[in-house]
């Protein structure tokens, strides 16, 4: 039977393509994956795992943990993941493994994986901290955040495009702290978060508490739309339609 997605991923993975290998795994983990989807998956990864390539070793650990193209063996999976972490700073292999898990599941992490997440965070992996906070706020938008959590989300390293500020702004909204939300939303917009830019642009142009500066608001809406905000794109489309453009 043909593999899901054709043969593109199985061709790229043997050449060392980590995203091809990841995509191949994700395809074969779907409920409607075709029969024999994972044929050759483990054999493709083995040469790279033997050379201690971190990403391929991590994927091989997943294969053993979940029985993808090989018999399920939790003990072997743990050893492989530990080995991958040994060649990846700050337990990065475990964090990449956890991201795969979140891509495929909606429920909370099992205890064994939650323990890995905690160890990765203790090792200084900022992605692990962000992963914990995202999961916490997804489960409860008004969950208690410590001063340390908020300080982390305000770090420059978490705000290349304002993502950290935007998360705290959403948290403040759930807490009904309008002043704090406005402050963090403005910082998120200034840092380049497109959804925050769209909301801030609407406030600037049209909101009752805004300055009613439509020129500035529309300029920010354009920036937000180029950044990927669907809301900003719709607003600009309505504006153009009204102008017969």
């Amino acid at each position: 039977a043909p593999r899901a997605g054709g043969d593109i991923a199985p061709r790229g993975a043997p050449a060392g393509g980590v995203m091809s290998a990841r995509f191949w795994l994700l395809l074969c983990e779907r409920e409607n994956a075709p029969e024999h989807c994972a044929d050759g998956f483990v054999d493709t990864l083995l040469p790279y795992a033997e050379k201690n390539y971190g990403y391929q070793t991590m994927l091989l650990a997943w294969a053993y943990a979940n029985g993808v193209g090989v018999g399920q063996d939790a003990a072997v999976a743990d050893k492989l993941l530990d080995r991958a972490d040994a060649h990846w700073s700050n337990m990065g292999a475990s964090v990449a493994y956890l991201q795969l898990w979140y891509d495929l599941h909606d429920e909370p992490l099992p205890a064994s994986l939650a323990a890995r997440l905690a160890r990765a965070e203790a090792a200084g992996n900022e992605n692990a901290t962000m992963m914990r906070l995202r999961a916490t706020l997804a489960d409860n938008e008004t969950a208690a955040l410590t001063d340390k959590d908020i300080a982390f989300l305000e770090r420059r390293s978490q705000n290349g495009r304002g993502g950290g500020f935007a998360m705290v702004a959403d948290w403040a909204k759930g807490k009904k702290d309008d002043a704090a939300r406005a402050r963090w939303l403005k910082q998120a917009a200034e840092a380049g978060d497109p959804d925050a830019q769209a909301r801030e642009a609407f406030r600037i142009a049209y909101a009752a508490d805004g300055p009613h500066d439509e020129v500035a608001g529309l300029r920010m809406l354009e920036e937000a739309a180029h950044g990927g905000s669907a809301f900003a794109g719709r607003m600009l489309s309505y504006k153009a339609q009204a102008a017969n453009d």
Side-chain angles (χ1 to χ4, degrees):
R3 293 186 178 96
D7 289 326
I8 295 173
R11 282 205 310 271
V18 293
M19 290 299 100
S20 292
R22 186 181 194 275
F23 184 58
W24 187 358
L25 173 63
L26 288 172
L27 285 172
C28 294
E29 284 283 55
R30 296 184 311 169
E31 287 184 9
N32 61 342
E35 190 178 3
H36 307 302
C37 177
D39 286 359
F41 182 71
V42 168
D43 289 340
T44 296
L45 296 177
L46 276 172
Y48 296 99
E50 288 168 355
K51 295 176 182 177
N52 293 318
Y53 280 42
Y55 203 93
Q56 283 92 338
T57 305
M58 178 276 294
L59 291 176
L60 190 60
W62 182 279
Y64 273 97
N66 297 279
V68 181
V70 68
Q72 199 166 5
D73 192 324
V76 170
D78 280 341
K79 288 179 181 178
L80 285 166
L81 194 48
D82 286 342
R83 197 170 94 196
D85 273 330
H87 295 275
W88 199 326
S89 62
N90 304 112
M91 293 186 67
S94 284
V95 174
Y97 186 100
L98 291 165
Q99 187 57 63
L100 260 177
W101 195 92
Y102 276 121
D103 287 345
L104 291 162
H105 298 85
D106 294 323
E107 65 269 22
L109 285 173
S112 61
L113 295 184
R116 276 195 181 271
L117 180 63
R119 293 204 305 275
E121 186 172 1
N125 192 307
E126 291 195 8
N127 290 332
T129 303
M130 182 60 85
M131 192 174 286
R132 171 181 62 81
L133 291 172
R134 285 192 188 282
T136 297
L137 294 175
D139 291 339
N140 178 9
E141 65 177 8
T142 61
L145 294 184
T146 66
D147 290 343
K148 185 178 179 180
D149 290 334
I150 293 172
F152 171 82
L153 291 171
E154 291 179 319
R155 284 184 191 176
R156 183 176 181 179
S157 59
Q158 301 307 320
N159 286 286
R161 291 190 67 200
F165 291 133
M167 282 179 65
V168 191
D170 287 341
W171 174 74
K173 178 183 177 182
K175 291 281 191 180
K176 301 190 184 325
D177 187 341
D178 293 337
R181 176 180 181 265
R183 183 175 72 253
W184 277 312
L185 190 64
K186 184 174 185 294
Q187 288 178 278
E190 290 172 348
D193 182 272
D195 293 323
Q197 286 176 331
R199 294 196 293 269
E200 181 68 4
F202 187 87
R203 185 191 70 79
I204 290 170
Y206 306 115
D209 65 341
H212 296 277
D213 185 343
E214 191 172 24
V215 172
L218 289 174
R219 188 165 56 244
M220 186 176 283
L221 271 179
E222 287 183 3
E223 188 175 349
H226 283 298
S229 167
F231 172 78
R234 286 196 300 274
M235 289 294 296
L236 291 168
S237 177
Y238 298 151
K239 191 75 177 173
Q241 184 181 33
N244 295 315
D245 182 354

